[in-house]
Amino acid sequence: GATLADDLAGRDFTVNALAIALDSDLGAVIDPLGGLADLHQRRLRRCTPDSIADDPIRALRAVRQSVALKLLIEPNTREDVRAANLASISPERIRDELIKTLDGPHPAAALRGLDTLGLLAQIIPEVTAMHGVTQSAPHVFDVWEHTLKVVEALDRVLSVISPGRTDSTAADGTYAMIVFQLDRFRARLQAHLAETWAGGRSSRALLMLGALLHDCGKPATRTVDEAGHIHFYQHEIIGAKMAHERAIALRLSNDEVERLTMVVRGHMRPMHLSTAGTVTRRANHRFWTAAGAAGLDVCILTQADYVGIYGVTLTLQKWLAFLAIVDKLLDGYLNEYAKIVAPPTLINGKDLIDALALKPGPIVGRLLRAISEAQAIGEVETVDGALTLARTILASDAPEEIEA
């Protein structure tokens, strides 16, 4: 049954060991459908010929359990899975099964299986257009293969961050560098990832969904310049809109929709900072002002994205330089929040309106943001300094801009 299989899928045993444990622990097992024999032979089989047709959600469950338990789906069951039509299944049930898949072991393998069997396109139709979309260097994979590599890498990154990390799971050279560079943030990132969403859905699963959708805007924005270089200008903006719509269709909560959208929209910002080669206080402030707590997810996802871009061509020098960018961002939020992200308020909107004879409107908010940023970079430290900056900005603006 699904409950037993789900329970077994969460345990760290080989399939043969599970079967032996069942034999020894239960002695005489009531097994009219031959489930123990299937376990011994690493085989997943439908209970009856009509099982999947009667409830197509079992097709998703079959793929998830086959990956989690390292079972081979037998041919007849596989054909039934391939023929499954999810149109009659409620979005809530599909969402819950997808979340379990993303939250389970080997999510990239499970997503590849769902895609191969034609199920993923029924759940996340955005993936269909990603197939075969080529990219210029330094990318070594097309958009779809890159996406799967990012999901796979994210699984490894989260393993390195997790409380269950062992010397073995952190031993790989690439991921060992995360331990070397970023381990001082590990406990705080664990606390962030331990937060759950509506229905107990995990932060891990939502971040995995972000990895799956982070480049969904690329097919619609692909261009090739005269030199033959491929570009995806503003794919993160288009992708964020697409991710927003997909999250709503999956019946995620409003908070989850907002977080997913912000992660997809912001996923390129660390890459841009890496190109610049440094993170100034201004850039740090702007990153966190735009992203908020979602920036922590972006900092985690971007590590997987970077691995997924370069693959085996990733050099230690490039990797350490990129992790230094992430280190600087995380330090700004987790250790220097009151200085870099949200300096103490020197002046509020009413103060500005009274002191500068302004009318309430967008200009007040813009001035407050400019003052906060100037505080973050050390250019403003007093109320007089804040008012001087505000007057300078107003003097440089056209009258229509001030009234807007």
Side-chain angles (χ1 to χ4, degrees):
T3 302
L4 175 61
D6 286 345
D7 182 54
L8 297 180
R11 301 184 183 180
D12 188 18
F13 298 115
T14 65
V15 174
N16 283 340
L18 286 171
I20 293 169
L22 284 172
D23 285 339
S24 60
D25 289 352
L26 301 182
V29 178
I30 300 172
D31 185 23
L33 300 179
L36 279 177
D38 287 336
L39 279 175
H40 278 298
Q41 297 179 39
R42 297 179 178 269
R43 177 175 61 204
L44 188 144
R45 177 167 51 87
R46 52 175 169 51
C47 295
T48 71
D50 298 323
S51 291
I52 294 175
D54 287 345
D55 187 1
I57 200 72
R58 290 170 178 154
L60 303 182
R61 195 172 296 148
V63 175
R64 174 168 61 82
Q65 293 178 353
S66 70
V67 171
L69 294 171
K70 300 180 181 178
L71 304 175
L72 181 65
I73 302 176
E74 64 89 27
N76 290 329
T77 303
R78 188 178 181 85
E79 289 309 307
D80 287 353
V81 168
R82 189 185 296 277
N85 185 344
L86 302 178
S88 63
I89 305 300
S90 72
E92 291 81 3
R93 292 187 72 203
I94 291 174
R95 172 202 64 202
D96 291 347
E97 193 60 45
L98 175 64
I99 290 298
K100 288 180 181 178
T101 300
L102 295 174
D103 209 19
H106 314 299
L111 289 171
R112 188 181 291 280
L114 290 172
D115 181 61
T116 300
L117 293 168
L119 297 173
L120 191 57
Q122 298 184 56
I123 307 170
I124 312 286
E126 292 80 6
V127 304
T128 302
M130 298 183 198
H131 287 259
V133 178
T134 56
Q135 309 186 84
S136 291
H139 279 277
V140 295
F141 304 106
D142 68 31
V143 173
W144 175 237
E145 288 300 322
H146 164 74
T147 297
L148 290 178
K149 294 296 183 184
V150 172
V151 172
E152 182 179 13
L154 179 58
D155 193 27
R156 297 290 302 277
V157 171
L158 291 175
S159 176
V160 167
I161 295 172
S162 78
R165 185 183 78 196
T166 65
D167 291 343
S168 175
T169 58
D172 181 281
T174 298
Y175 301 96
M177 291 302 99
I178 297 175
V179 178
F180 172 76
Q181 186 79 39
L182 304 177
D183 215 41
R184 63 194 177 113
F185 305 115
R186 184 182 173 207
R188 302 282 293 278
L189 293 176
Q190 285 177 9
H192 173 74
L193 291 166
E195 297 174 359
T196 57
W197 301 94
R201 292 186 288 275
S202 72
S203 292
R204 170 192 165 87
L206 189 64
L207 189 50
M208 284 292 177
L209 184 57
L212 178 60
L213 292 171
H214 80 285
D215 276 349
C216 67
K218 280 189 170 179
T221 57
R222 186 180 187 274
T223 59
V224 183
D225 64 23
E226 294 181 355
H229 298 132
I230 300 169
H231 303 282
F232 303 95
Y233 295 123
Q234 294 193 326
H235 76 272
E236 67 274 24
I237 306 300
I238 301 301
K241 294 177 181 178
M242 296 169 67
H244 184 273
E245 293 173 0
R246 183 51 46 201
I248 292 174
L250 287 169
R251 303 295 193 270
L252 294 177
S253 67
N254 290 339
D255 288 342
E256 288 168 296
V257 171
E258 180 181 5
R259 176 60 61 86
L260 181 68
T261 303
M262 293 185 73
V263 168
V264 174
R265 183 186 294 127
H267 81 272
M268 286 299 297
R269 296 189 72 149
M271 298 286 183
H272 296 325
L273 292 171
S274 176
T275 301
T278 186
V279 181
T280 64
R281 289 177 68 95
R282 187 190 304 275
N284 213 327
H285 174 81
R286 288 183 175 180
F287 175 83
W288 292 109
T289 300
L296 294 174
D297 297 296
V298 172
C299 284
I300 296 170
L301 174 59
T302 196
Q303 298 171 61
D305 196 10
Y306 203 79
V307 172
I309 288 172
Y310 286 91
V312 297
T313 69
L314 180 61
T315 65
L316 180 61
Q317 182 180 8
K318 285 182 177 293
W319 184 222
L320 286 176
F322 185 71
L323 289 178
I325 297 293
V326 178
D327 177 278
K328 196 74 172 177
L329 289 173
L330 289 174
D331 188 63
Y333 188 83
L334 295 176
N335 295 332
E336 301 286 341
Y337 188 89
K339 292 181 180 179
I340 292 178
V341 182
T345 300
L346 289 174
I347 194 168
N348 61 33
K350 184 178 183 305
D351 295 332
L352 282 176
I353 290 171
D354 293 343
L356 303 177
L358 295 174
K359 295 179 181 179
I363 186 62
V364 177
R366 188 159 72 85
L367 291 173
L368 289 173
R369 289 191 294 274
I371 291 168
S372 179
E373 181 175 296
Q375 286 182 256
I377 63 178
E379 291 183 351
V380 167
E381 297 179 349
T382 65
V383 173
D384 287 343
L387 289 174
T388 298
L389 175 62
R391 291 189 181 98
T392 300
I393 294 172
L394 291 173
S396 65
D397 279 346
E400 61 270 18
E401 293 176 330
I402 297 174
E403 295 295 332

